[in-house]
Amino acid sequence: MSILNQNLLTLDFWQDKVTYGKRIVPTGNIGCAALNITDEQINELTKLCQPLQEIIFMLGMSSMDVSMFPKAEESLLRIVRFLQNTEPFSFLDLATDEKELHRLFDEEHIENILAYIKAAQEVGAAAAFDEKYSHGVGVMKLIQVMSQLGDTILIYKQTMTAFAHALHDSKRTPDGYAAAFAEHFTDTDKLMLTDPSWMALSNTTMQYVSAVMPEKEIPQLVKRLHYVSFVGMFRSDLFEGLCVGHAPRKCPICGKWFLTTDARHTKYCGGLAPGDKLGRTCRQIGNLKGREQRELAGDHPIKAIYTRRMNTITQYLHRDTLDELTAKEMKRLAKDKMKRAIKEFAYAQGDYAKEMEQDALLKEARAKI
């Protein structure tokens, strides 16, 4: 069944790209996307995981209540629905329906699950390699992985959000990220298992496999990592991204984290801006705001032309080569033109400078008077 064939805790790394499921994205994208999972979503996931955790607990007590499987089925269904709509899990091919999940826990398959559990209690880990228990093994692995989902995402956000903010303010180069890392994780003991706040990549396995990667039509040698927890997978991807100059940045418009892949100070993400009736992206709105701020700056060309013209009018007035009525009208016209140039980009790039010349402004003012 497809739900059992998902590599939920596996990433393929190749140069500056990472593959998760069927999506190939810049390295660091997986860990960055996980930062955007909200506290409300984590609370919801934690509640959904409880029936699965109860099954794991019963296994630890060497007992199993068959009545728990319908609850586990409903829990898995709701978790999968959540994952289908949440990055980075939506990168996986989790297309499934209620019938498929129901088949995982039909009478025949429950018998296989129970048989596997009994065999595991009798012969240990060897039971997992017995082909006749393949369904039971698959379902129990799925339950174990899903049962930790809420807790591990919470650990990841608690330990990595502050570091992401440190990266946000750092020099956006691999050297800058390394400096931010060294400053944030000052004690090397944090990389050891002795510190519970730092979940080291324990039991993570790595292998090299041949796979067709982006920009190549022939198989490439890639580094495939298998993790035991989501927090380990997210952190590993985030750090791999830092090594190649990729880092998260928080968009000031929507508040979400997005990945930058070069040293440019990209400030806004490319997602849709919340509440914008025109359906514009944060980057589009940010560019407009940036332009307005630049145009309001005293040294902006639009403002510079206006300031220079106002000074010239004042000088002519003091030299008695311009009467007060004409000077007043010229200043009014100049201010109106400056405001128009700020609002209309085409005018600012076109006739604005020409109309603000002293002779042109004087001629227009006298015509108005």
Side-chain angles (χ1 to χ4, degrees):
M1 297 182 181
S2 63
I3 189 66
L4 296 183
N5 297 328
Q6 292 298 320
N7 292 319
L8 297 172
L9 292 171
T10 298
L11 297 178
D12 283 355
F13 292 100
W14 180 76
Q15 294 184 355
D16 61 350
K17 300 289 195 306
V18 61
T19 301
Y20 187 43
K22 292 188 175 181
R23 286 284 298 276
I24 300 170
V25 294
T27 307
N29 198 294
I30 309 298
C32 182
L35 290 171
N36 288 321
I37 301 174
T38 65
D39 293 341
E40 291 75 18
Q41 289 175 315
I42 293 174
N43 290 335
E44 178 187 350
L45 271 178
T46 301
K47 292 177 182 177
L48 292 177
C49 291
Q50 287 178 354
L52 306 182
Q53 293 174 346
E54 290 177 17
I55 288 181
I56 302 299
F57 175 77
M58 284 190 292
L59 284 176
M61 300 297 292
S62 299
S63 65
M64 181 55 63
D65 183 357
V66 179
S67 66
M68 285 300 300
F69 285 115
K71 295 180 182 179
E73 177 186 332
E74 175 63 22
S75 177
L76 281 173
L77 176 62
R78 294 176 64 185
I79 290 173
V80 168
R81 286 174 177 169
F82 170 85
L83 299 183
Q84 287 172 332
N85 298 304
T86 306
E87 289 189 357
F89 308 106
S90 56
F91 296 169
L92 298 165
D93 183 17
L94 286 173
T96 186
D97 55 29
E98 296 185 30
K99 291 182 179 179
E100 180 182 1
L101 278 170
H102 182 66
R103 285 197 298 273
L104 293 179
F105 298 98
D106 62 18
E107 185 176 349
E108 176 185 353
H109 288 133
I110 285 180
E111 290 180 2
N112 189 262
I113 296 170
L114 294 174
Y116 162 64
I117 292 173
K118 182 178 180 181
Q121 292 170 347
E122 293 175 352
V123 302
F129 300 97
D130 194 327
E131 188 64 28
K132 66 183 178 183
Y133 302 128
S134 61
H135 180 85
V137 172
V139 172
M140 292 311 300
K141 283 185 176 179
L142 180 65
I143 288 175
Q144 289 172 337
V145 169
M146 293 299 195
S147 68
Q148 61 164 310
L149 190 57
D151 290 339
T152 55
I153 295 175
L154 178 61
I155 292 173
Y156 177 72
K157 288 201 64 178
Q158 287 177 337
T159 57
M160 298 307 292
T161 301
F163 178 51
H165 280 290
L167 292 170
H168 185 282
D169 299 327
S170 69
K171 184 180 179 182
R172 303 196 72 79
T173 64
D175 289 344
Y177 302 144
F181 184 97
E183 184 176 351
H184 189 80
F185 301 113
T186 55
D187 186 355
T188 55
D189 288 340
K190 285 183 176 293
L191 300 178
M192 305 301 178
L193 290 175
T194 54
D195 188 343
S197 69
W198 180 276
M199 185 176 288
L201 302 182
S202 56
N203 298 324
T204 300
T205 57
M206 184 180 73
Q207 61 184 156
Y208 293 93
V209 299
S210 180
V212 177
M213 298 303 290
E215 304 167 2
K216 297 286 184 179
E217 297 180 355
I218 59 176
Q220 302 296 307
L221 186 63
V222 304
K223 180 171 63 176
R224 176 169 293 172
L225 269 69
H226 306 276
Y227 305 90
V228 295
S229 71
F230 284 104
V231 65
M233 184 179 77
F234 296 150
R235 183 179 287 119
S236 174
D237 175 67
L238 188 68
F239 290 167
E240 288 282 342
L242 296 181
C243 292
V244 295
H246 301 174
R249 188 178 183 90
K250 197 167 190 178
C251 177
I253 292 181
C254 68
K256 291 184 178 180
W257 295 94
F258 67 101
L259 193 73
T260 63
T261 57
D262 54 40
R264 291 186 304 169
H265 288 272
T266 305
K267 191 174 182 179
Y268 307 98
C269 74
L272 292 177
D276 184 65
K277 296 180 180 180
L278 299 179
R280 292 173 295 186
T281 66
C282 293
R283 189 166 297 140
Q284 289 173 320
I285 291 179
N287 288 339
L288 289 175
K289 287 186 175 182
R291 177 173 172 258
E292 290 174 357
Q293 291 174 352
R294 291 190 298 272
E295 288 167 348
L296 290 174
D299 60 349
H300 189 275
I302 292 176
K303 280 290 191 69
I305 290 174
Y306 170 75
T307 301
R308 187 165 58 250
R309 189 56 53 233
M310 295 294 282
N311 289 338
T312 303
I313 294 171
T314 301
Q315 290 175 2
Y316 276 50
L317 186 62
H318 288 165
R319 294 172 185 170
D320 292 328
T321 56
L322 195 64
D323 63 89
E324 291 188 7
L325 182 61
T326 305
K328 183 178 180 180
E329 181 63 18
M330 289 178 70
K331 289 182 177 181
R332 185 190 68 80
L333 288 171
K335 190 172 185 179
D336 288 346
K337 292 179 187 298
M338 183 265 292
K339 289 181 178 180
R340 181 185 172 189
I342 291 175
K343 293 180 179 179
E344 299 179 18
F345 182 74
Y347 175 66
Q349 296 295 308
D351 295 335
Y352 174 64
K354 186 177 180 180
E355 291 183 5
M356 287 287 280
E357 291 178 358
Q358 179 76 3
D359 291 342
L361 204 59
L362 176 61
K363 182 178 180 181
E364 186 178 351
R366 286 174 174 171
K368 293 284 185 182
I369 294 173

